[in-house]
Amino acid sequence: EPAVHGMAEEGIDYRGCLYLGLILTGEGPKVLEFNCRFGDPEAQVVLPLMESGLGDLLKSVAEGHLDPGAVKAGEQSAVCVIAASGGYPGSYGTGYEIEGLDDSGGLAPAGGQPLENVLVFHAGTSWKDGRFLTAGGRVLGVTGIAPSLEEARDVAYRAITQIHFNGMHYRRDIASPVRPARSSP
């Protein structure tokens, strides 16, 4: 709200996405960044939960008559975990085969049992000779969708463990509960 009010006070007629990157700490939420766009992981958790048509919302915003009641999201939660190349965010190799994906680029059924409510977003991949290969630092965004944040986190982490490529790594603390800050003696 302070950012929106500040822009209005300066006469800025801002129309678009204003993304606030937050981190939850023991002292409360802290702002990490402002962006006028969604980043990949943010879009990969927000857009699958939208019940409103994104195109209609964007058109309404551009024309300056968005009805706040038109923005509808489902009751589900989503968590996205990024599978990154070894060495990322520094230098990293490419061209490694990605195992665990089906021919369409989704999660291949492990033991014949596909995980439900999983979306796999390709970021740094290429398709060559019938195989998906790594082609960037952020390779895949694996999103789990479930009724609660904890369940969505479990779905995302179960799914990402079925994917493998040389040097693959990912954070293991995404959507983890906030630990209380330690008090000084």
Side-chain angles (χ1 to χ4, degrees):
E1 286 182 6
V4 171
H5 292 303
M7 286 189 289
E9 286 174 7
E10 292 184 23
I12 298 171
D13 180 20
Y14 183 79
R15 298 178 191 191
C17 174
L18 183 59
Y19 164 73
L20 207 51
L22 299 175
I23 186 168
L24 301 177
T25 71
E27 293 86 37
K30 305 284 183 188
V31 176
L32 294 175
E33 63 179 331
F34 276 99
N35 276 315
C36 57
R37 59 158 180 83
F38 284 124
D40 294 347
E42 296 85 19
Q44 292 164 10
V45 294
V46 171
L47 295 180
L49 302 179
M50 297 277 304
E51 292 178 355
S52 308
L54 181 61
D56 292 336
L57 291 175
L58 294 174
K59 183 176 185 248
S60 295
V61 167
E63 294 172 347
H65 58 77
L66 175 66
D67 172 12
V71 181
K72 292 184 173 65
E75 296 295 318
Q76 300 274 64
S77 294
V79 171
C80 180
V81 180
I82 301 297
S85 293
Y88 178 82
S91 61
Y92 51 84
T94 61
Y96 301 116
E97 182 173 3
I98 304 169
E99 298 174 348
L101 301 177
D102 63 21
D103 289 342
S104 70
L107 192 65
Q113 295 296 324
L115 285 175
E116 293 185 15
N117 300 318
V118 175
L119 297 171
V120 179
F121 294 93
H122 289 243
T125 66
S126 64
W127 177 257
K128 184 176 181 185
D129 300 325
R131 303 176 304 153
F132 284 103
L133 306 174
T134 63
R138 287 183 169 190
V139 178
L140 299 167
V142 180
T143 300
I145 302 169
S148 72
L149 187 63
E150 295 79 16
E151 291 170 294
R153 180 181 190 275
D154 290 345
V155 169
Y157 278 109
R158 271 198 318 269
I160 204 166
T161 62
Q162 295 184 30
I163 299 169
H164 304 282
F165 55 85
N166 186 39
M168 177 177 140
H169 66 99
Y170 54 91
R171 290 184 49 172
R172 288 167 168 73
D173 63 344
I174 302 299
S176 293
V178 176
R179 290 182 218 116
R182 295 182 184 173
S183 55
S184 300

